[in-house]
């Protein structure tokens, strides 16, 4: 993470906080949304014994606590909505077209190296959903050599993704045959009741790391086959959206696939991309 920007001293702590959040994450928090900040930070205020939001912000800006508190703040203010097999058309396309085309294009005497980046991975449901699809394909053709990278700005959700333990109801969208093959039910302790874990064979091929999309360059390989950047662009300004897309697309191979959220299709404006289907693009050139 880059050093946090410190503005000149001012008495309006709330404005300073909103400006800091925007500059460091791209998340807009207008003045009329102060109630949202209070809601998301309420537990921290209670735990720390702060009288109100301004008391907490004084602790951050004048008390020198900003650096230590920042990871917690990120966890609280970011939206981490995710589901297994959310927007299933992307996974169907991955299984029926993207992977088969990659396999046909590879030389049969060599492994087909397939790399996918889940660029706003949250707790890992997206990455592990894709992992199940890729594992199925590899089970049919052992030439497929695949790995997945999941990144997010929140260290808390990344920790959850690496543990790969989920309440069983969160796994309900997973097709039953895939759930049977790629999850293990919890057993043996009270804490394990009602949860399941992604099997080790998938966990070994999926790694996670912290990444801020508005803080390039990204420490991510180039020439990727698929990048999933779904349901995060909507939180950025128009200028930030286009800059993030431009940076992301640079990591795609020519012919690589770019998936965004279905509410984000109209946001994508990059001359290197051609739209193939709703929320689905392919890199055509430089």
């Amino acid at each position: 993470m880059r050093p946090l920007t410190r503005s000149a001293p001012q008495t309006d702590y709330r404005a300073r906080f909103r400006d800091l959040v925007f500059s460091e994450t791209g998340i807009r928090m207008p003045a009329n949304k102060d109630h949202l900040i209070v809601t998301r930070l309420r537990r921290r205020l209670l735990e720390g014994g702060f009288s109100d939001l301004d008391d907490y912000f004084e602790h951050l800006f004048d008390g020198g606590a900003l650096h230590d508190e920042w990871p917690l703040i990120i966890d609280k203010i970011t939206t981490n909505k995710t589901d297994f097999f959310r927007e299933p058309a992307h996974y169907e396309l991955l299984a029926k077209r993207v992977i088969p085309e990659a396999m046909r294009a590879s030389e049969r005497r060599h492994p087909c190296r397939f790399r996918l980046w889940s660029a706003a991975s949250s707790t890992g449901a997206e990455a592990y959903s894709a992992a199940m699809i890729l594992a199925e394909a590899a089970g049919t053709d052992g030439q497929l050599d695949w790995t997945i990278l999941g990144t997010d700005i929140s260290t808390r959700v990344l920790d959850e993704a690496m543990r790969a333990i989920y309440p069983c109801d969160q796994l309900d969208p997973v097709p039953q045959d895939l759930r049977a093959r790629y999850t293990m039910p919890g057993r043996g302790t009270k804490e394990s009741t009602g949860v399941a874990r992604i099997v080790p064979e998938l966990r070994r091929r999926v790694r996670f790391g912290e990444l801020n999309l508005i803080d390039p360059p990204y420490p991510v390989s180039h020439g990727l086959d698929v990048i999933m950047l779904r349901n995060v662009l909507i939180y950025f300004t128009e200028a930030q959206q286009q800059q993030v897309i431009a940076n992301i697309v640079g990591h795609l191979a020519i012919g690589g696939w770019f998936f965004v959220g279905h509410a984000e299709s109209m946001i994508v404006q990059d001359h290197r991309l051609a739209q193939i289907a709703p929320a689905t693009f392919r890199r055509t050139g430089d």
Side-chain angles (χ1 to χ4, degrees):
M1 184 180 73
R2 61 184 173 180
L4 294 177
T5 303
R6 294 180 181 274
S7 58
Q10 61 189 78
T11 56
D12 189 347
Y13 293 118
R14 298 186 182 208
R16 288 181 69 180
F17 182 79
R18 292 193 300 269
D19 290 346
L20 179 63
V21 168
F22 178 73
S23 68
E24 297 298 325
T25 71
I27 298 172
R28 293 162 288 179
M29 306 193 88
N32 62 357
K33 297 294 186 181
D34 275 357
H35 66 282
L36 177 61
I37 299 175
V38 173
T39 298
R40 296 200 171 188
L41 294 178
R42 187 184 305 279
R43 176 175 293 183
R44 181 66 190 115
L45 299 184
L46 293 173
E47 290 173 347
F50 300 101
S51 58
D52 56 25
L53 200 58
D54 290 316
D55 187 25
Y56 178 59
F57 289 162
E58 183 176 4
H59 171 68
L60 296 181
F61 294 113
D62 296 341
L66 180 58
H67 184 272
D68 291 340
E69 290 282 304
W70 187 246
L72 181 146
I73 291 169
I74 290 293
D75 290 338
K76 297 298 184 184
I77 65 172
T78 51
T79 300
N80 293 303
K81 167 65 175 173
T82 186
D83 297 293
F84 281 86
F85 287 90
R86 184 181 185 184
E87 300 180 0
H90 285 151
Y91 298 102
E92 183 176 2
L93 186 68
L94 184 65
K96 294 184 176 180
R97 180 175 176 183
V98 178
I99 299 171
E101 284 188 6
M103 296 291 294
R104 287 194 295 269
S106 69
E107 298 183 30
R108 299 307 299 170
R109 64 181 179 275
H110 297 298
C112 174
R113 297 180 72 253
F114 193 99
R115 304 294 180 261
L116 183 149
W117 177 18
S118 171
S121 60
S122 187
T123 58
E126 178 178 89
Y128 288 125
S129 296
M132 293 179 193
I133 299 298
L134 283 158
E136 287 291 285
T140 301
D141 190 331
Q143 291 292 102
L144 182 62
D145 172 26
W146 62 273
T147 58
I148 292 176
L149 170 66
T151 63
D152 203 279
I153 194 174
S154 168
T155 56
R156 178 185 60 81
V157 298
L158 290 171
D159 287 342
E160 292 185 29
M162 286 184 280
R163 286 194 298 272
I165 298 172
Y166 302 95
C168 290
D169 59 355
Q170 287 188 20
L171 294 164
D172 285 346
V174 179
Q176 190 58 45
D177 58 333
L178 299 184
R179 184 169 176 176
R181 279 194 288 278
Y182 300 118
T183 69
M184 307 179 298
R187 60 175 66 88
T189 67
K190 181 178 180 180
E191 290 75 15
S192 64
T193 303
V195 301
R197 192 176 195 188
I198 303 299
V199 296
E201 299 93 306
L202 261 59
R203 300 201 309 271
R204 282 194 291 266
R205 290 183 176 266
V206 183
R207 63 184 180 91
F208 294 93
E210 183 181 358
L211 186 142
N212 185 342
L213 288 167
I214 68 164
D215 190 16
Y218 307 144
V220 176
S221 299
H222 291 76
L224 301 178
D225 298 281
V226 175
I227 298 177
M228 307 179 82
L229 181 69
R230 305 191 305 168
N231 306 300
V232 66
L233 291 169
I234 53 176
Y235 297 105
F236 298 149
T237 66
E238 183 176 352
Q240 288 171 327
Q241 289 168 348
Q242 300 313 315
Q243 189 59 57
V244 168
I245 291 168
N247 292 331
I248 284 278
V249 172
H251 290 265
L252 267 179
I254 303 299
W257 296 79
F258 181 49
F259 297 152
V260 297
H262 280 277
E264 298 170 321
S265 281
M266 297 299 292
I267 293 174
V268 180
Q269 304 291 330
D270 191 293
H271 71 278
R272 297 167 293 176
L273 294 172
Q275 185 162 6
I276 305 301
T280 303
F281 299 82
R282 199 167 190 182
R283 182 171 178 178
T284 56
D286 293 318

